[in-house]
Amino acid sequence: MELHEFTLKQQLDGLRNSTFSSVELTQNYLKRIKSKDPSINSYITVTEELALKQAEDADDRYSKGKALTLDGIPIAHKDIFCTEDVLTTCGSKMLSNFKAPYSSTVVSKLFDQGVVMLGKTNMDEFAMGSSNETSFFGEVKNPWNLDYVPGGSSGGSAACVSARLASAATATDTGGSIRQPAALCGLTGIKPTYGRVSRYGMIAFASSLDQGGVLARTAEDAAILLANMSGHDPKDSTSLNIEVPDYPKEISNDISGLKIGLPKEFFEQEMPDYVRKSTEEAIEVYKDLGAEIEEISFPNIDLSLPVYYVLAPAECSANLSRYDGVRYGFRCEEPKNLEDLYMRTRSEGFGAEVKRRILIGTYALSAGYYDAYYLKAQKCRRLIANDFTEAFKSVDVILSPTTPGTSFKAGDKKNDPIDMYLQDIFTIPANLAGLPGISFPCGSYNGLPLGLQLVGNSLEEGKLLSAAHHFQEVTNWHKESPEL
Ligand code: GLN
């Protein structure tokens, strides 16, 4: 087997047993990136020199018996996480020249455990999108079929792990951007509870919804990485000051008797037969594993999309007001005066989808409409959160498809924002309620992967990871990889 074919866990074992070195592993990925990524476009920046230096340092620590928890494992970071002295673009022209002066907590924590950074991954501009077609740095292709999208906004992270151009990758999820690309690229992706992973140095889109997480090949790999990214951070006031469980250990927890809820309103949504069929097959797998299935009701699901598309743009319009051409990032040429500087910097620096969101958000927050839109949306958000509270009185996890279908052809939904927004119909409710969600492969259709989603109660990432891990012990969907 070639080194990139091993899972992160197997690579860690190999490094610990000196079967191969981190330099060999890192070089293998760098070589693959050079030959395969030009047709996929999953990386915006490849940090070759830094990666090799970090790999050498890791090997040095192994030889001295002083290895760190994740020493020498090469991963990629979504280009939304600030990395000191390394370009951090958020997929936008606005930050196309921005070298972050500091590293985000997620990146620092992983560096502290010896992780090697291969580079920064492509993404939808400011994480707004479901297809990775809105990046200033070009579209990302789905490694399973280059005519199809990898999903978004963490499309670069998903495509690079799926194409075996990194062992795993960091990602963020505001309305589905970890779980949806995980589903479309055949990966395991987990969005933890809001506040579990620090948002310090993670460029803001919609602060009350954004959460960092992981895209990996298996639930086991996701557990290993998540355990090392999570934890309290005094630099993020919404970070939870609660001990992080030992996720890699928790994945083995018994799941017999696990109560799985099927929200009947989710299954009433329009979806092709193949999605229904693979979800039903997955339910059978869980029954065989000893889980108990129960129908539950989620009466307010229809509010999720409209609520999200008021709140996320409202928060984004406030967050993105900082890009004014004055302090950092892109600045228009030869501004005539201050107003001209603001106007042209923002109209030239932002792409169409970002502008659409800023306009919607500014409108929803404006004096005359605040009560009618923003306040109303906040109240509806509470109703959706209440649906979850009610459901978790009788079940442990909530099961549904991750997306209403497999990946779609690039260009197919680009000019129909509503159709694009529907991609997140099953994922958005968890963000609105701040709950953890996981997606993992459960089938395929026409050679493209499909994902299954489980949403858990607050801080129950361990339960989700163990449910996914047990599924992966008896199925092979997660072992399939695209031919490149
Ligand atoms: N697709 C959703 C959006 O465009 C979610 C994005 C995300 O989770 N970052 O807003």
Side-chain angles (χ1 to χ4, degrees):
M1 226 156 83
E2 287 193 65
L3 297 184
H4 58 264
E5 292 173 62
F6 291 118
T7 65
L8 186 152
K9 173 68 172 57
Q10 290 166 336
Q11 290 174 349
L12 206 49
D13 291 342
L15 290 168
R16 286 175 183 159
N17 301 331
S18 308
T19 317
F20 44 82
S21 70
S22 175
V23 168
E24 283 172 293
L25 184 60
T26 304
Q27 273 168 342
N28 180 303
Y29 278 122
L30 290 169
K31 209 169 115 207
R32 265 183 83 74
I33 294 169
K34 275 201 188 110
S35 76
K36 311 278 180 201
D37 204 44
S39 59
I40 300 172
N41 198 25
S42 66
Y43 280 90
I44 292 176
T45 305
V46 178
T47 47
E48 178 166 355
E49 226 174 280
L50 174 68
L52 289 170
K53 166 84 177 61
Q54 289 176 326
E56 276 168 26
D57 290 348
D59 287 338
D60 194 42
R61 286 187 292 268
Y62 276 110
S63 69
K64 291 186 177 131
K66 287 190 175 155
L68 303 161
T69 323
L70 290 174
D71 232 345
I73 292 292
I75 73 159
H77 287 297
K78 184 176 180 179
D79 211 15
I80 198 167
F81 289 100
C82 286
T83 37
E84 193 177 346
D85 295 333
V86 173
L87 200 62
T88 300
T89 70
C90 221
S92 181
K93 179 175 178 184
M94 194 56 101
L95 291 175
S96 52
N97 60 1
F98 177 63
K99 283 197 176 159
Y102 64 94
S103 287
S104 60
T105 297
V106 161
V107 169
S108 309
K109 269 176 118 61
L110 292 173
F111 278 165
D112 288 348
Q113 293 309 327
V115 161
V116 170
M117 174 168 84
L118 291 166
K120 308 289 296 289
T121 61
N122 206 339
M123 55 180 284
D124 276 306
E125 185 178 9
F126 283 104
M128 297 169 200
S130 298
S131 63
N132 224 130
E133 292 170 291
T134 74
S135 169
F136 175 65
F137 299 88
E139 296 171 3
V140 178
K141 314 285 183 194
N142 189 321
W144 291 84
N145 183 330
L146 299 179
D147 293 332
Y148 285 68
V149 304
S153 63
S154 312
S157 287
C160 85
V161 179
S162 163
R164 312 302 189 237
L165 305 180
S167 184
T170 56
T172 62
D173 191 311
T174 303
S177 282
I178 292 179
R179 291 159 289 159
Q180 188 252 8
L184 271 42
C185 288
L187 299 175
T188 304
I190 181 160
K191 172 203 105 68
T193 308
Y194 182 79
R196 189 33 115 191
V197 167
S198 168
R199 289 185 299 111
Y200 178 75
M202 188 179 106
I203 296 173
F205 161 13
S207 311
S208 78
L209 300 158
D210 299 341
Q211 184 58 201
V214 183
L215 279 160
R217 302 246 307 266
T218 63
E220 185 176 38
D221 287 0
I224 294 172
L225 211 52
L226 186 64
N228 287 282
M229 286 163 62
S230 303
H232 181 238
D233 180 9
K235 294 193 199 115
D236 169 5
S237 62
T238 58
S239 158
L240 296 169
N241 195 352
I242 297 170
E243 212 178 309
V244 181
D246 187 347
Y247 298 132
K249 204 165 145 208
E250 289 202 349
I251 57 168
S252 314
N253 288 355
D254 189 17
I255 64 156
S256 60
L258 185 81
K259 292 205 177 68
I260 299 181
L262 306 181
K264 69 174 181 347
E265 293 82 359
F266 278 45
F267 291 91
E268 283 163 8
Q269 303 293 319
E270 222 175 283
M271 59 175 103
D273 286 345
Y274 66 84
V275 176
R276 230 173 262 284
K277 188 167 162 278
S278 62
T279 310
E280 278 159 13
E281 283 167 7
I283 295 170
E284 289 307 313
V285 172
Y286 275 115
K287 281 188 190 158
D288 290 346
L289 287 167
E292 291 166 25
I293 311 292
E294 190 179 309
E295 190 179 85
I296 55 168
S297 178
F298 220 88
N300 294 298
I301 185 191
D302 286 340
L303 295 175
S304 316
L305 272 183
V307 165
Y308 176 86
Y309 278 102
V310 171
L311 295 181
E315 293 187 26
C316 111
S317 72
N319 274 325
L320 271 57
S321 65
R322 74 191 64 167
Y323 304 105
D324 55 8
V326 176
R327 285 157 296 184
Y328 55 89
F330 170 77
R331 174 183 294 173
C332 70
E333 295 211 354
E334 297 177 24
K336 289 196 222 38
N337 51 40
L338 191 60
E339 197 175 325
D340 187 45
L341 168 79
Y342 289 154
M343 297 256 288
R344 281 203 292 121
T345 295
R346 289 171 67 80
S347 59
E348 291 167 27
F350 289 134
E353 182 61 27
V354 172
K355 284 181 197 159
R356 181 176 7 244
R357 308 271 180 123
I358 294 175
L359 288 173
I360 297 172
T362 310
Y363 182 83
L365 289 175
S366 58
Y369 297 104
Y370 181 89
D371 287 359
Y373 294 109
Y374 186 75
L375 209 62
K376 189 79 162 197
Q378 288 290 22
K379 289 180 180 165
C380 294
R381 181 179 190 172
R382 169 57 58 194
L383 294 178
I384 293 160
N386 289 349
D387 281 356
F388 278 111
T389 311
E390 209 41 50
F392 287 124
K393 282 182 186 160
S394 58
V395 299
D396 295 303
V397 297
I398 297 172
L399 179 150
S400 72
T402 308
T403 54
T406 53
S407 175
F408 45 93
K409 270 205 168 129
D412 264 10
K413 298 188 196 292
K414 214 172 168 181
N415 299 318
D416 185 349
I418 305 285
D419 198 21
M420 187 75 89
Y421 296 170
L422 276 167
Q423 274 297 304
D424 298 321
I425 179 103
F426 301 126
T427 50
I428 280 176
N431 299 77
L432 291 171
L435 298 172
I438 193 168
S439 173
F440 48 96
C442 72
S444 82
Y445 183 71
N446 273 347
L448 292 165
L450 263 172
L452 188 77
Q453 174 179 250
L454 297 177
V455 172
N457 208 345
S458 191
L459 295 169
E460 299 207 323
E461 288 80 7
K463 219 177 247 181
L464 297 182
L465 288 161
S466 86
H469 177 65
H470 286 281
F471 186 88
Q472 293 180 341
E473 280 190 324
V474 294
T475 57
N476 289 319
W477 298 111
H478 64 291
K479 291 185 189 149
E480 297 196 358
S481 61
E483 273 171 39
L484 282 170

